[in-house]
Amino acid sequence: MAPYYLNSWYCAGWSKDLTDKPSGITICGKTLAIYRDPAGSVVALDGRCPHRFAPLAKGVVVGDRLQCPYHGLLFDRTGACVHNPHGDGMIPPNARVESYPVQERAGALWVWPGDPEKADVDLLPSTDWLVSDAYATATGYLLVNADYQLVTDNLLDLTHAPYLHPGTVGGRPEDSIGQVMEHSFETTDGNVIHSNYRVRNMPRPTPQLLPLWGERPGDFYAEMRWQPASSMELDIFMTEPGEDKKAGVHVPTLHYLTPTGDGATHYFFAIGRNVMIDDDEQTRLMAHFARIAFEEEDEPMIRACQDLMGTSDLMSLRPAILRTDVAGVQARRVLGKLMKAETAVA
Amino acid sequence: MAPYYLNSWYCAGWSKDLTDKPSGITICGKTLAIYRDPAGSVVALDGRCPHRFAPLAKGVVVGDRLQCPYHGLLFDRTGACVHNPHGDGMIPPNARVESYPVQERAGALWVWPGDPEKADVDLLPSTDWLVSDAYATATGYLLVNADYQLVTDNLLDLTHAPYLHPGTVGGRPEDSIGQVMEHSFETTDGNVIHSNYRVRNMPRPTPQLLPLWGERPGDFYAEMRWQPASSMELDIFMTEPGEDKKAGVHVPTLHYLTPTGDGATHYFFAIGRNVMIDDDEQTRLMAHFARIAFEEEDEPMIRACQDLMGTSDLMSLRPAILRTDVAGVQARRVLGKLMKAETAVA
Amino acid sequence: MAPYYLNSWYCAGWSKDLTDKPSGITICGKTLAIYRDPAGSVVALDGRCPHRFAPLAKGVVVGDRLQCPYHGLLFDRTGACVHNPHGDGMIPPNARVESYPVQERAGALWVWPGDPEKADVDLLPSTDWLVSDAYATATGYLLVNADYQLVTDNLLDLTHAPYLHPGTVGGRPEDSIGQVMEHSFETTDGNVIHSNYRVRNMPRPTPQLLPLWGERPGDFYAEMRWQPASSMELDIFMTEPGEDKKAGVHVPTLHYLTPTGDGATHYFFAIGRNVMIDDDEQTRLMAHFARIAFEEEDEPMIRACQDLMGTSDLMSLRPAILRTDVAGVQARRVLGKLMKAETAVA
Ligand code: FES
Ligand code: FES
Ligand code: FES
């Protein structure tokens, strides 16, 4: 079985961060150079020059073409070498690199590392709130030094929040979301996993929601959607007890995981809110809470688990499975099935 | 043959350093979480939570139980999971970790990584002077980035002292212990190796003994005892020429080596003296000399040897054997025999 | 096939840097200790003491012998242990290390890691200008974290200069040596490769030559000679258009590559000039340009290429071969032939 599920969109960054300066990223073991051409459209090429394997991501965009930083060969958006500045200028037939399907959608960049014929824009995760005027937003990036499926496990089992994040996105076990949580779980469209938590009349909000909601009770919702291979959206709501959740505070978040190919994971995250949207200090604070939670709490824990596992294949170690692992276990099952099918075809 | 001799006590730390905050240590490849319960007794558990393999050493002690830092499972001193705070609280049968025999004896903590049935307190090294009022003492710890048997070799062959430690625990080759040393050697109890050095009428003490003895001659004794797998005690004496050694300055030292399992060695050391025992400046100086000698002189040398060996199996390189290697060679022989027997049984 | 060509001289340093303090260097996987004895002659011994494999390069020279830093064995220039300071002083027969053929020639030190019988001083590269009064000179050293053949490729294909070194030894692609270059190429003595570049009436010199030649046109020559395994000399000339090159500014440079044996390369470089030879500020500037070009431009690029290759065997990746690769390809061919012959004999 292939080590990665290739026929899937993987997040390659946030739109606003990509310019005509090429950006290098490794996705499922493939090294890419991504840049924005003068017309604004995005190009994703294999990042290794076919001449001496220099990193094209260190090159410069000349017109709408990418110039290798070592000896100056020029490549167009299809990956063909179109200019050799030396000697008689002859271009050998193998002077070309792969070009990858790439999409830009509502603030995020997506690359399809698998068969280009199968690239399907209907599978792109939707991130509309990220570009909506009704939300204040912040985006971030973190390199997690662990397998992406361990990060998926982390996100699909929010029971860790009161233990790992008591001061940020969780709250102490003894109050807030450490209280009785109701959990519902379903799979839709065959492959999309929903894992929804609710705490009715929670005495006080999580530290992250405190400045938005105030020190008073409310109904708390945390609704997670996962879709293969590793894209997650978590909607957090806090409302007056019994009220419709749409009427309350909405804090949507994105968690896009992209395996590097050497055991680490690109973690692109975004967070928004539908209240106090012009308050820049709140936006700064919101980004700060997310950074602390992911970078100083989740990442070291996930990395420590992987170090102690000594493998990235969790199931081979016969872990103790709790009821609360249902979403994570189901995601592994769905992804395993898809990977098996992909390998069988190939 | 197993890579480590498991049916042995290995030092896991100094008593005074262990609190109810768990401490993590890897011994012979086994990751442990060690803590002191509210009644003061010591618990040593396998340090990998059976749920998602989080490091239990990062957890907190709640009552006399250890709480996993990731999702909060609670383990008792036998290693059984006794509480799951989530959902219906069900505990799967494989939610348990190993518990290891552990002993606390005269200031040191000891773990038995092998068969618990065979754990034998009569094999514990004795460290009584460490808790005696007649001695001033200091303890320390150093991670040596080399195989523990190379550290044993270092300690069992004190002829290196004038070359590697001329300014600390040795003295220049041309005076002090570079002078003619008498050496006697014996094995007792089958497995305990004694390697005793004596310099009669040594013109001046080693730099380490200078503040305790003064700039004048004396008889110098260095008596090393090794017991398997890797515990050593070195008694240094300096006396008036011809006098009984018990009447003189006594500087006992401990050198407890614990293989980590990935090629490095935990080196727990202690040093004492029976003179000027209320002089804190002398204690500070004594600890300083030991730290410089072990950390800045021995450790880099042993590490450099291992790097140049390219293996930790010294004998496979057919080294030149000197007469002065007798104790080190004998220790390797004893340990090899014990490891072979242990493997045969298993 | 052996991984290195051993029957060759490899540069081990610059004469002026070697004293009676031993210097450690690894050449083709062999760890050496090199020192200058009191008579001024150079000794190269295997750097691992046969007793416990301590690094002899950390030892001290006592008379004309090298003392091991661990237990003090003494070795003479043939590598024989000639003194054991301990016990009865017996020296076991295997207490000896290899001694390597070593030469000092016009400012450079050379070691022959192969069969001593075959060491041939006629194969030593000539570096006479380095010790000539007619030149101001500077030497340097850089550890390149990549295979030496990739460094050879870099040096034998100067078309990279305008792309990688526009501000130092190259000049922007649009002027200077980015202009039409004539290239001639030949192999002499079977194994010596000449790769000569000429730019007629170049509008302005490279940044490196600017202070020596001024802001005016001239004929520019860059003449490279390679000899196995990896010694290169590059002569740069700038003259009045049409004039004989010997009449102009001459900037000779040396590029001696020595594989460490673990994938990295010792890069010993030297640079000289036949004008303004008493101007120390120019010498400082000349060394600065070389350091920037090699350390901050070439080394990171070569390392990045090797990282992206994932192997040091360039040809196994079927690179696109350009016309301008002729010298590099020929050098690989010559060296491959020599290595095959060496292995066949062995
Ligand atoms: S490596 Fe890209 S042009 Fe040479
Ligand atoms: S990893 Fe320990 S409770 Fe989940
Ligand atoms: S290691 Fe060189 S003398 Fe012992």
Side-chain angles (χ1 to χ4, degrees):
Chain A
M1 196 160 80
Y4 295 105
Y5 183 54
L6 297 179
N7 286 316
S8 180
W9 294 107
Y10 288 93
C11 187
W14 300 111
S15 283
K16 65 179 156 52
D17 301 332
L18 188 68
T19 65
D20 67 346
K21 197 173 139 23
S23 156
I25 188 170
T26 304
I27 294 182
C28 300
K30 296 170 190 282
T31 302
L32 307 184
I34 303 183
Y35 65 96
R36 195 180 287 288
D37 74 12
S41 85
V42 180
V43 180
L45 300 181
D46 188 281
R48 310 188 314 164
C49 178
H51 176 227
R52 282 297 178 272
F53 306 101
L56 291 177
K58 301 275 186 201
V60 290
V61 176
V62 177
D64 63 348
R65 303 179 302 178
L66 183 53
Q67 178 181 277
C68 176
Y70 201 174
H71 310 89
L73 292 181
L74 276 176
F75 299 88
D76 70 12
R77 62 180 304 129
T78 71
C81 176
V82 291
H83 182 64
N84 168 7
H86 307 292
D88 61 4
M90 239 196 44
I91 297 171
N94 63 342
R96 60 157 39 254
V97 293
E98 289 287 309
S99 161
Y100 291 92
V102 61
Q103 289 288 325
E104 186 164 21
R105 166 80 57 105
L109 303 168
W110 297 93
V111 167
W112 182 274
D115 180 353
E117 302 281 311
K118 297 195 170 131
D120 178 356
V121 294
D122 290 343
L123 294 175
L124 283 167
S126 107
T127 63
D128 291 341
W129 62 262
L130 192 57
V131 291
S132 152
D133 288 345
Y135 287 82
T137 63
T139 57
Y141 168 80
L142 177 65
L143 182 72
V144 179
N145 287 299
D147 185 66
Y148 71 108
Q149 292 202 58
L150 297 183
V151 189
T152 299
D153 284 339
N154 169 278
L155 287 160
L156 288 181
D157 179 6
L158 296 183
T159 67
H160 75 274
Y163 298 93
L164 195 54
H165 308 299
T168 53
V169 298
R172 296 179 303 160
E174 57 273 29
D175 52 31
S176 76
I177 66 173
Q179 300 276 323
V180 175
M181 277 203 276
E182 297 164 48
H183 183 231
S184 72
F185 168 78
E186 70 175 321
T187 304
T188 60
D189 300 327
N191 291 333
V192 178
I193 294 173
H194 302 256
S195 180
N196 297 337
Y197 300 86
R198 174 157 68 166
V199 186
R200 289 179 208 262
N201 210 6
M202 188 161 84
R204 69 180 55 81
T206 62
Q208 183 193 31
L209 291 177
L210 188 61
L212 306 180
W213 181 256
E215 180 81 36
R216 63 196 174 95
D219 286 354
F220 173 85
Y221 299 81
E223 302 187 343
M224 179 67 87
R225 282 183 309 292
W226 172 90
Q227 72 179 77
S230 42
S231 292
M232 275 156 283
E233 301 166 49
L234 171 65
D235 285 297
I236 296 165
F237 299 94
M238 190 125 188
T239 67
E240 299 299 333
E243 201 186 28
D244 180 56
K245 74 186 175 199
K246 307 259 171 186
V249 169
H250 178 207
V251 172
T253 66
L254 303 175
H255 309 264
Y256 294 148
L257 307 179
T258 303
T260 62
D262 64 355
T265 301
H266 304 291
Y267 184 174
F268 297 99
F269 58 87
I271 184 163
R273 68 176 186 278
N274 67 344
V275 292
M276 300 168 73
I277 65 173
D278 296 322
D279 184 334
D280 288 347
E281 173 58 19
Q282 283 304 324
T283 301
R284 206 196 49 77
L285 196 65
M286 183 174 82
H288 174 74
F289 266 122
R291 199 194 61 75
I292 297 292
F294 303 156
E295 190 168 326
E296 298 182 12
E297 295 169 348
D298 282 318
E299 200 277 339
M301 177 57 75
I302 296 168
R303 182 157 35 91
C305 290
Q306 176 159 307
D307 286 352
L308 289 183
M309 288 166 57
T311 166
S312 60
D313 183 0
L314 174 71
M315 289 304 167
S316 70
L317 300 176
R318 302 177 171 276
I321 304 284
L322 307 181
R323 288 268 158 86
T324 41
D325 291 322
V326 56
V329 167
Q330 175 68 359
R332 283 176 180 268
R333 206 170 281 154
V334 167
L335 191 57
K337 203 182 59 190
L338 290 170
M339 288 169 76
K340 201 172 250 170
E342 179 172 292
T343 309
V345 167
Chain B
M1 196 161 78
Y4 296 105
Y5 183 55
L6 297 179
N7 287 316
S8 180
W9 294 107
Y10 287 93
C11 188
W14 301 112
S15 283
K16 65 180 157 54
D17 301 331
L18 188 69
T19 66
D20 68 346
K21 196 173 139 24
S23 155
I25 187 169
T26 304
I27 295 182
C28 299
K30 295 167 191 284
T31 302
L32 308 184
I34 303 183
Y35 66 96
R36 194 180 288 287
D37 74 12
S41 86
V42 181
V43 180
L45 300 180
D46 187 281
R48 311 188 313 163
C49 178
H51 175 227
R52 283 297 177 273
F53 306 101
L56 292 177
K58 302 275 185 201
V60 291
V61 176
V62 177
D64 64 347
R65 303 179 303 179
L66 183 55
Q67 178 181 276
C68 176
Y70 201 173
H71 310 89
L73 293 181
L74 276 175
F75 299 87
D76 72 10
R77 63 179 303 128
T78 71
C81 176
V82 291
H83 183 64
N84 168 8
H86 305 293
D88 60 5
M90 239 197 41
I91 296 171
N94 64 342
R96 61 157 38 256
V97 294
E98 290 286 310
S99 161
Y100 291 91
V102 61
Q103 289 288 325
E104 188 164 20
R105 167 80 58 103
L109 303 168
W110 298 93
V111 168
W112 182 275
D115 180 353
E117 302 282 310
K118 299 200 169 126
D120 178 355
V121 295
D122 291 343
L123 294 176
L124 284 167
S126 108
T127 62
D128 292 341
W129 62 262
L130 191 58
V131 291
S132 154
D133 288 344
Y135 287 82
T137 64
T139 58
Y141 168 78
L142 177 66
L143 182 72
V144 179
N145 287 299
D147 185 66
Y148 71 110
Q149 293 203 58
L150 297 183
V151 189
T152 300
D153 284 339
N154 170 278
L155 287 159
L156 289 181
D157 179 5
L158 296 183
T159 66
H160 75 273
Y163 298 93
L164 195 53
H165 307 299
T168 53
V169 299
R172 294 179 303 160
E174 56 273 30
D175 51 29
S176 74
I177 68 174
Q179 300 274 324
V180 175
M181 278 203 275
E182 295 164 50
H183 183 232
S184 72
F185 167 79
E186 71 176 320
T187 304
T188 61
D189 299 327
N191 291 332
V192 177
I193 294 173
H194 301 257
S195 180
N196 297 338
Y197 299 85
R198 175 157 68 165
V199 186
R200 289 179 207 262
N201 210 6
M202 188 160 82
R204 68 179 56 81
T206 61
Q208 184 193 31
L209 292 177
L210 189 61
L212 307 179
W213 181 257
E215 179 81 34
R216 63 198 174 94
D219 286 354
F220 173 87
Y221 298 80
E223 302 187 343
M224 179 65 88
R225 282 182 308 292
W226 171 92
Q227 72 179 79
S230 41
S231 292
M232 275 155 283
E233 302 166 49
L234 171 64
D235 285 297
I236 295 165
F237 300 93
M238 191 124 185
T239 68
E240 299 299 334
E243 200 186 28
D244 180 55
K245 73 186 176 199
K246 307 256 174 192
V249 169
H250 179 207
V251 173
T253 67
L254 304 175
H255 308 265
Y256 295 148
L257 307 179
T258 303
T260 62
D262 64 354
T265 300
H266 304 292
Y267 183 174
F268 297 100
F269 57 88
I271 182 162
R273 67 176 186 279
N274 66 346
V275 292
M276 302 167 72
I277 65 173
D278 296 321
D279 184 335
D280 289 347
E281 173 58 20
Q282 282 304 324
T283 301
R284 207 195 51 75
L285 196 66
M286 182 174 83
H288 173 75
F289 266 122
R291 200 193 61 74
I292 297 291
F294 303 156
E295 191 168 324
E296 299 182 12
E297 294 169 351
D298 282 317
E299 201 276 340
M301 177 57 75
I302 295 167
R303 182 158 35 90
C305 289
Q306 176 159 307
D307 286 352
L308 289 183
M309 286 166 59
T311 168
S312 60
D313 182 0
L314 174 71
M315 289 305 167
S316 70
L317 299 177
R318 304 178 169 275
I321 305 285
L322 307 182
R323 288 266 158 87
T324 41
D325 291 321
V326 57
V329 167
Q330 176 68 358
R332 284 176 179 268
R333 206 171 280 154
V334 167
L335 191 57
K337 203 182 59 191
L338 291 169
M339 289 169 75
K340 200 172 251 172
E342 179 172 291
T343 308
V345 168
Chain C
M1 196 162 80
Y4 296 104
Y5 184 55
L6 297 178
N7 287 316
S8 180
W9 293 107
Y10 288 94
C11 187
W14 300 112
S15 283
K16 66 181 156 51
D17 301 331
L18 188 69
T19 66
D20 68 345
K21 196 172 140 24
S23 156
I25 187 170
T26 304
I27 294 181
C28 299
K30 295 169 190 282
T31 301
L32 308 185
I34 303 184
Y35 66 96
R36 194 180 288 286
D37 74 12
S41 87
V42 180
V43 180
L45 300 181
D46 187 282
R48 312 188 313 164
C49 178
H51 176 228
R52 284 295 178 273
F53 307 101
L56 292 177
K58 302 274 185 202
V60 290
V61 176
V62 177
D64 63 347
R65 303 179 303 180
L66 183 54
Q67 178 181 278
C68 177
Y70 201 173
H71 310 89
L73 293 181
L74 276 176
F75 298 87
D76 72 9
R77 63 180 304 130
T78 71
C81 175
V82 292
H83 182 65
N84 168 7
H86 306 294
D88 61 4
M90 239 197 41
I91 296 171
N94 64 342
R96 61 157 39 255
V97 294
E98 290 287 310
S99 161
Y100 290 92
V102 61
Q103 289 288 326
E104 187 164 21
R105 166 81 57 105
L109 302 169
W110 298 93
V111 167
W112 181 275
D115 180 352
E117 302 281 311
K118 297 197 171 131
D120 178 354
V121 295
D122 291 343
L123 294 176
L124 285 167
S126 109
T127 62
D128 292 340
W129 62 261
L130 192 58
V131 290
S132 153
D133 289 344
Y135 288 82
T137 64
T139 58
Y141 168 79
L142 177 65
L143 182 72
V144 178
N145 286 299
D147 185 67
Y148 71 109
Q149 292 201 58
L150 296 183
V151 188
T152 300
D153 284 339
N154 170 278
L155 288 159
L156 288 182
D157 179 6
L158 297 183
T159 66
H160 75 274
Y163 298 94
L164 196 53
H165 308 298
T168 53
V169 298
R172 295 179 302 161
E174 57 273 29
D175 51 30
S176 75
I177 68 173
Q179 300 277 324
V180 175
M181 279 203 275
E182 297 163 49
H183 183 232
S184 71
F185 168 78
E186 70 176 319
T187 304
T188 60
D189 299 328
N191 291 332
V192 179
I193 294 173
H194 302 255
S195 179
N196 297 338
Y197 299 85
R198 175 157 67 166
V199 186
R200 289 178 207 262
N201 211 4
M202 188 161 84
R204 70 180 54 81
T206 62
Q208 183 193 33
L209 292 178
L210 188 62
L212 306 180
W213 180 257
E215 180 80 36
R216 63 197 173 96
D219 287 354
F220 174 86
Y221 299 81
E223 303 186 343
M224 179 66 89
R225 281 183 308 291
W226 172 91
Q227 73 180 78
S230 42
S231 292
M232 276 156 282
E233 302 167 48
L234 171 65
D235 285 296
I236 295 166
F237 299 94
M238 190 124 185
T239 66
E240 299 299 332
E243 201 186 26
D244 181 55
K245 74 187 174 199
K246 309 257 171 188
V249 169
H250 179 207
V251 173
T253 67
L254 303 175
H255 309 264
Y256 295 146
L257 308 179
T258 303
T260 61
D262 64 356
T265 301
H266 303 291
Y267 183 174
F268 297 99
F269 58 86
I271 183 164
R273 66 176 188 279
N274 67 344
V275 291
M276 300 167 74
I277 64 174
D278 296 320
D279 183 335
D280 289 347
E281 174 57 21
Q282 282 306 324
T283 301
R284 207 196 50 75
L285 196 66
M286 182 173 85
H288 173 75
F289 266 122
R291 199 193 62 74
I292 296 292
F294 303 156
E295 190 168 326
E296 299 182 13
E297 295 169 347
D298 282 317
E299 201 277 340
M301 177 56 74
I302 295 167
R303 181 158 35 91
C305 289
Q306 176 158 308
D307 286 353
L308 289 183
M309 287 166 57
T311 168
S312 61
D313 182 0
L314 175 70
M315 289 304 166
S316 70
L317 300 176
R318 302 178 172 275
I321 304 284
L322 307 182
R323 288 268 158 87
T324 40
D325 291 322
V326 56
V329 168
Q330 175 69 358
R332 284 178 180 267
R333 205 171 281 155
V334 166
L335 191 56
K337 203 182 60 190
L338 290 170
M339 288 170 75
K340 200 173 251 172
E342 180 172 291
T343 309
V345 167

